[in-house]
Amino acid sequence: MRGDISWVCGCCGALRPRYKRLVDNIFPEDPEDGLVKANMEKLTFYALSAPEKLDRIGGYLSERLSRDVARHRYGYVCIAMEALDQLLMACHCQSINLFVESFLKMVRKLLESDKPSLQILGTNSFVKFANIEEDTPSYHRSYDFFVSRFSEMCHSSYEDPDIRTKIRMAGIKGLQGVVRKTVNDELQANIWDPQHMDKIVPSLLFNLQSGERTESRSPSPLQASEKEKESPVELTERCFRELLGRAAYGNIKNAVTPVLMHLDNHSLWEGKSFAVRCFKIIMYSIQSQHSHLVIQQLLGHLDANSKNSATVRAGIVEVLLEAAAIAASGSVGPTVLEVFNTLLRQLRLSVDYELTGSYDGSTNIGTKIIKAHEERQLQEAVIRTIGSFANTLPTYQRSEVMFFIMGKISVPGVHLALPSTSSGPEGTRMIQVMLLKSLVQVTAGYQTTNMLTALPTSFLEPLLSLSLTEDPEVRLLVLQILLSLIDRHENRPKFSNISSISDISVLKLKVDKCSRQDNLFMKKHGQQLYRHIYLGCKEQSSGRQHYESLFALLGLLSVELANEEVVVDLIRLTLALQDLALSTDEGLPVYNRCAVHALAAAYLNLICQLTTVPAFCQHIHEVIEVRQKEIPHLLPEDVFVDNPKLPSSLEKVEGDVLFLQSKITEVLGGSGYNTERLATPYVPQFTDEDRLSKRKSIGETISLQVEVESRNSPEKEERTPAEEITFETLKNAIVDSVGMEEQERERRRQVVEKFQKAPFEEIAAHCGARATLLQSKLNQIFEITIRPPPSPSGTISSGYGQSQNRSVPIYEMKFPDLCVY
């Protein structure tokens, strides 16, 4: 009887559950008529009134949809999904979780279909669901299938291009929906896990790459037309930006690593443009405080590709360059020196690769062929990147980077950095040049108020030592670094051209009062700077750029760091340069002598107008006028040009064409300048640094010092027997005092001449003999002053009948019985 009743209830529509009748009523007889809206409103009202029925409604709709899909009744499928969407939008109660399970089951059913229209329909419903903020989170829901399926749709290869585009766009929208739904839900599976990111990110990059490669120009996409908004590229970029914008501190690495892998797998570093575009999107999209994490990952990736081709490494470096330009000030993070250490290490490796021709230092047949021009392009890219990074740093960190790079440079006699691994001396020289070029980039635009902190002794001394080397490229780079550090008021461009203009007001120089710190700096380092300017002009290999840089250095010293004492020293230095150009003993070529004359004329023309002493200006201008008429090749306008017309030799440079020290001393003395200093010619002091340029041996200074000290040592006085002082002795001392002074001067002159002209072997032998003599005397002193303790064992007799004290160890001493316990 009971079975009959159930059969009757199943056949009779009036006895069916109300939720089923309401669901059935929303479907019209003809699916083309669409959803029955009146009945849909009744179903929605019923679901809101009885939320406990939501899961049953969802289950029943799921059954109908599965049946319709199997029977290819796609019109009813669309109606069912529309009904589900409306129910989801209307119901936000605690019981919605079970309904969502039925909904996701139906979406999954559609996505598994081979029909593109159903895939797109399921995706659109999922996107609507993703935009709903649920009242209660669900921890048992899984989106793994959706991540995999949407990623697969992003790579669709459907034959019809229009349908293929729609499927790919649906996949992108689906991934965007998954991210939105899961990223802020702590109970959900972590979407940032590598297993998900390794699917999502490459899918987005695939679509980003396959479309139009329009360069990203701003932090956010520009307002585009409706057609552009519908393109996969624009949609992908928005989705990618949204994904990165939601990334927290701990998720940046998982989001960026798939990008690096994708660029590696598809050889996209070499093209540079796409890789740069990707990381521009990344740097603009992530939170600014996370920028240094991306940069650190790029640096690590650069290290990992150390033995890859130069084009790949150059592509990574170019991306680093762009990333640093976008990053805000100080965003390199706490590991600033690590960044520069990595870049400098890549610079050193590139030089080694270029010179050895292989990545492992050998010449095996199986090694990759290294192209020198590609390595040089990489080196230039690294240097530009170092400068770009430095520009993002505050002043104090940039100073640390300057000192750090200087510590890497091999400076003979000052400090030796790690030698090049396999490229020999030429590699060391090339690395030295590369590091100096990096310093030029770091110091460009450097601003400081205190020169003592900007150029401390530990930095300035090795830098100036490099200016004494024979390599003209190294000297020129050192001058550029000095100019960048000294120029604090942007005066350097105004000294780019050497000229003897009659009115320097057109240059619009910014002259500030010399501070106390500047005065201290010049007192401490001024003589070093003058000396290196003088020796730089003396170099035969100096060219036009060197002299232009030296003139700029003189000009900047005059307007940035000059007080009255410095002005006097600079004038003395310039007159010494004129004497250098007149001298034929140095063997300078005609061009160099003319260049030094022209440099001196241009600088004296500048300094006389800065001092504003009329008589001084008059003398300088008179000499310049005479030169213009008689010997124009001693003026900068005729020397520092592309094709200077110079005589074969310089003769009869005298009289009115020269700047007279006596005249300058007279006119400046009348204006309150120190006439004693002005009247004293400038003579550069030769120090140990001269050994770098082979001008003088380091043994000269040391040997000379040993010679003088040894003659005046107290040991020599002890060696001479005591004389008996009589009347005749005192008389001879008074009479011969003048002669003795002459003899002493002659002796000193001979000593100096000996060390200047004697062969190196003779000087070395002399120093060795002196050192041996000194050591023997020290031994005698030690024997006299440090006596051995008395020995309980008494004395021992030497072989020559002399008794000697011998210190006996404690354990060998013989003690009396009364002393032993």
Side-chain angles (χ1 to χ4, degrees):
M1 184 66 182
R2 184 170 298 177
D4 296 338
I5 294 175
S6 61
W7 178 83
V8 173
C9 291
C11 294
C12 182
L15 297 178
R16 288 168 60 80
R18 186 181 179 190
Y19 73 90
K20 288 189 177 181
R21 284 185 278 124
L22 290 172
V23 170
D24 291 338
N25 291 338
I26 67 173
F27 291 93
E29 293 182 2
D30 186 358
E32 293 183 1
D33 294 340
L35 183 69
V36 181
K37 294 183 179 180
N39 294 335
M40 186 63 214
E41 291 176 359
K42 294 178 182 178
L43 178 61
T44 304
F45 180 77
Y46 176 77
L48 291 172
S49 303
E52 68 277 2
K53 300 292 186 180
L54 261 176
D55 58 328
R56 297 185 182 184
I57 295 173
Y60 183 59
L61 275 170
S62 178
E63 290 177 9
R64 288 202 55 149
L65 183 134
S66 299
R67 186 169 64 248
D68 292 335
V69 169
R71 295 175 180 177
H72 304 288
R73 300 167 63 179
Y74 300 125
Y76 288 123
V77 172
C78 295
I79 292 173
M81 291 309 300
E82 185 179 355
L84 282 169
D85 293 343
Q86 291 192 22
L87 287 174
L88 276 174
M89 299 298 291
C91 301
H92 292 275
C93 61
Q94 296 181 356
S95 302
I96 198 174
N97 281 333
L98 296 177
F99 178 71
V100 168
E101 293 300 324
S102 301
F103 169 78
L104 293 178
K105 182 179 179 182
M106 287 182 276
V107 172
R108 180 169 183 167
K109 187 75 175 178
L110 295 178
L111 293 176
E112 288 175 342
S113 172
D114 295 333
K115 193 172 179 61
S117 59
L118 294 185
Q119 296 175 16
I120 296 171
L121 178 64
T123 303
N124 292 337
S125 293
F126 183 85
V127 171
K128 293 177 183 177
F129 160 70
N131 292 326
I132 296 175
E133 294 184 7
E134 298 182 54
D135 294 337
T136 55
S138 176
Y139 56 86
H140 62 279
R141 203 178 295 159
S142 174
Y143 294 97
D144 292 359
F145 166 79
F146 296 100
V147 172
S148 300
R149 183 57 182 153
F150 288 139
S151 299
E152 185 180 347
M153 291 169 64
C154 289
H155 291 84
S156 173
S157 56
Y158 201 84
E159 294 180 358
D160 189 336
D162 293 334
I163 297 177
R164 181 172 65 239
T165 299
K166 291 180 180 179
I167 295 175
R168 289 184 178 182
M169 291 182 66
I172 297 167
K173 291 177 181 178
L175 291 177
Q176 188 178 29
V178 172
V179 172
R180 288 179 180 176
K181 198 63 182 174
T182 59
V183 72
N184 294 323
D185 193 345
E186 296 179 358
L187 297 178
Q188 293 293 344
N190 192 356
I191 196 66
W192 301 106
D193 286 344
Q195 60 179 347
H196 300 310
M197 285 290 106
D198 290 345
K199 297 175 183 176
I200 295 174
V201 174
S203 301
L204 296 176
L205 295 179
F206 172 77
N207 284 277
L208 194 65
Q209 180 190 357
S210 61
E212 300 174 355
R213 289 179 171 82
T214 55
E215 191 70 19
S216 181
R217 297 178 297 274
S218 63
S220 59
L222 299 174
Q223 294 296 326
S225 66
E226 289 298 324
K227 183 177 181 181
E228 289 175 336
K229 285 183 179 180
E230 292 299 320
S231 69
V233 176
E234 293 294 328
L235 180 62
T236 303
E237 184 170 336
R238 287 200 299 272
C239 181
F240 194 32
R241 288 180 183 276
E242 183 177 344
L243 174 69
L244 295 165
R246 294 173 180 269
Y249 181 87
N251 303 326
I252 294 292
K253 182 178 180 180
N254 289 345
V256 175
T257 299
V259 178
L260 300 174
M261 297 295 293
H262 182 82
L263 296 174
D264 285 343
N265 296 335
H266 297 276
S267 302
L268 296 174
W269 292 111
E270 300 178 13
K272 297 180 185 178
S273 59
F274 180 71
V276 168
R277 183 185 179 195
C278 286
F279 276 90
K280 277 188 174 182
I281 294 174
I282 292 172
M283 296 302 293
Y284 278 131
S285 302
I286 63 174
Q287 300 176 43
S288 59
Q289 65 268 27
H290 300 161
S291 298
H292 68 277
L293 297 175
V294 179
I295 291 173
Q296 286 177 359
Q297 275 192 268
L298 282 169
L299 290 169
H301 199 67
L302 181 60
D303 275 341
N305 285 273
S306 293
K307 292 190 177 182
N308 213 324
S309 66
T311 52
V312 171
R313 284 177 283 137
I316 300 174
V317 171
E318 287 288 344
V319 171
L320 269 168
L321 177 64
E322 296 293 338
I326 296 171
S329 177
S331 68
V332 178
T335 56
V336 175
L337 296 184
E338 180 184 347
V339 171
F340 290 92
N341 194 34
T342 300
L343 292 172
L344 294 178
R345 182 166 60 249
Q346 292 298 323
L347 204 58
R348 180 180 295 275
L349 287 173
S350 178
V351 170
D352 288 342
Y353 295 159
E354 179 184 348
L355 293 177
T356 60
S358 67
Y359 292 117
D360 54 3
S362 63
T363 56
N364 297 331
I365 298 176
T367 56
K368 297 180 181 178
I369 299 176
I370 292 178
K371 299 178 180 178
H373 71 279
E374 292 181 353
E375 293 293 341
R376 283 192 289 271
Q377 290 174 357
L378 168 64
Q379 293 158 16
E380 293 173 0
V382 171
I383 292 171
R384 290 197 306 272
T385 304
I386 288 174
S388 181
F389 269 114
N391 289 333
T392 67
L393 298 177
T395 302
Y396 73 94
Q397 281 189 326
R398 196 187 290 203
S399 298
E400 292 179 1
V401 173
M402 287 163 44
F403 305 152
F404 179 75
I405 296 177
M406 179 56 72
K408 296 281 185 180
I409 303 177
S410 297
V411 182
V414 179
H415 59 75
L416 293 175
L418 293 176
S420 184
T421 54
S422 56
S423 51
E426 177 61 19
T428 303
R429 190 202 73 83
M430 286 183 62
I431 291 171
Q432 192 179 58
V433 171
M434 295 297 172
L435 292 176
L436 285 172
K437 287 182 177 180
S438 302
L439 261 182
V440 170
Q441 292 287 329
V442 173
T443 55
Y446 180 79
Q447 294 290 333
T448 181
T449 56
N450 190 345
M451 292 302 300
L452 286 171
T453 58
L455 283 170
T457 303
S458 59
F459 180 83
L460 185 61
E461 285 188 355
L463 184 65
L464 292 180
S465 296
L466 288 168
S467 71
L468 295 176
T469 58
E470 295 179 339
D471 192 331
E473 185 178 8
V474 170
R475 297 202 310 273
L476 186 60
L477 291 171
V478 170
L479 286 172
Q480 292 177 3
I481 294 167
L482 282 173
L483 292 175
S484 296
L485 293 173
I486 295 175
D487 182 22
R488 294 173 293 177
H489 297 87
E490 299 180 0
N491 286 315
R492 179 181 175 182
K494 300 166 186 176
F495 295 118
S496 58
N497 296 321
I498 308 181
S499 62
S500 54
I501 57 177
S502 58
D503 185 7
I504 64 169
S505 61
V506 297
L507 298 178
K508 298 181 180 179
L509 298 171
K510 298 177 183 177
V511 183
D512 200 0
K513 186 178 180 181
C514 197
S515 66
R516 179 175 175 272
Q517 289 85 357
D518 294 341
N519 291 333
L520 292 174
F521 174 79
M522 291 306 293
K523 283 184 179 179
K524 187 175 182 180
H525 300 295
Q527 294 301 323
Q528 289 177 286
L529 292 170
Y530 307 149
R531 177 172 172 274
H532 286 77
I533 292 172
Y534 181 89
L535 295 178
C537 292
K538 192 177 178 181
E539 281 287 351
Q540 295 185 13
S541 58
S542 292
R544 175 181 175 181
Q545 289 183 313
H546 293 84
Y547 290 113
E548 289 175 345
S549 299
L550 288 167
F551 172 75
L553 181 56
L554 285 167
L556 288 177
L557 289 175
S558 304
V559 298
E560 296 281 353
L561 300 169
N563 52 27
E564 182 177 320
E565 183 178 347
V566 172
V567 169
V568 170
D569 284 336
L570 289 171
I571 294 173
R572 291 172 58 231
L573 170 63
T574 310
L575 293 171
L577 291 177
Q578 179 178 257
D579 294 338
L580 171 66
L582 291 171
S583 174
T584 58
D585 297 336
E586 299 295 342
L588 284 176
V590 173
Y591 174 80
N592 295 64
R593 294 175 65 187
C594 292
V596 174
H597 273 298
L599 172 65
Y603 178 69
L604 287 174
N605 176 68
L606 172 70
I607 196 67
C608 75
Q609 296 183 60
L610 289 175
T611 55
T612 63
V613 178
F616 185 23
C617 295
Q618 181 180 357
H619 172 64
I620 301 302
H621 291 157
E622 287 176 354
V623 174
I624 291 175
E625 288 175 2
V626 174
R627 287 190 180 186
Q628 288 173 343
K629 295 177 182 178
E630 299 181 5
I631 43 176
H633 53 266
L634 297 189
L635 291 176
E637 288 79 6
D638 279 30
V639 176
F640 302 111
V641 292
D642 293 335
N643 296 308
K645 297 179 181 179
L646 303 178
S648 58
S649 62
L650 281 181
E651 297 178 356
K652 297 181 180 180
V653 181
E654 56 187 8
D656 296 339
V657 299
L658 295 179
F659 304 100
L660 302 178
Q661 182 160 0
S662 57
K663 180 68 174 177
I664 294 174
T665 302
E666 178 186 348
V667 296
L668 289 179
S671 298
Y673 286 85
N674 189 334
T675 55
E676 184 178 350
R677 288 180 62 84
L678 282 168
T680 306
Y682 172 78
V683 179
Q685 300 176 353
F686 291 96
T687 66
D688 295 349
E689 292 176 345
D690 292 324
R691 68 189 180 282
L692 301 178
S693 58
K694 301 179 182 179
R695 294 186 182 89
K696 287 184 178 292
S697 169
I698 187 173
E700 176 177 345
T701 306
I702 298 175
S703 303
L704 181 60
Q705 186 176 2
V706 172
E707 173 74 20
V708 175
E709 290 181 354
S710 63
R711 291 184 179 275
N712 297 328
S713 63
E715 297 157 15
K716 191 170 184 68
E717 295 176 6
E718 290 178 7
R719 201 166 50 243
T720 57
E723 289 185 2
E724 183 179 359
I725 301 176
T726 62
F727 175 79
E728 290 294 327
T729 306
L730 295 174
K731 180 180 178 182
N732 292 335
I734 295 171
V735 173
D736 298 336
S737 60
V738 178
M740 291 293 291
E741 290 177 1
E742 291 292 331
Q743 292 177 8
E744 181 65 20
R745 280 198 293 270
E746 179 65 17
R747 184 184 65 79
R748 289 179 179 273
R749 188 191 64 77
Q750 291 176 357
V751 170
V752 173
E753 184 178 0
K754 175 182 177 180
F755 280 92
Q756 286 181 340
K757 298 182 179 181
F760 175 79
E761 291 78 10
E762 182 180 342
I763 295 173
H766 180 76
C767 293
R770 288 291 178 184
T772 305
L773 178 62
L774 177 61
Q775 185 62 42
S776 65
K777 293 303 177 184
L778 288 174
N779 293 337
Q780 292 178 16
I781 294 171
F782 290 149
E783 289 176 2
I784 295 172
T785 57
I786 306 175
R787 297 182 181 276
S791 174
S793 60
T795 60
I796 59 173
S797 178
S798 67
Y800 299 97
Q802 297 176 350
S803 62
Q804 294 181 350
N805 288 326
R806 179 172 68 88
S807 181
V808 180
I810 296 293
Y811 57 84
E812 292 184 7
M813 290 183 180
K814 297 178 181 180
F815 293 94
D817 294 339
L818 294 176
C819 297
V820 180
Y821 291 92

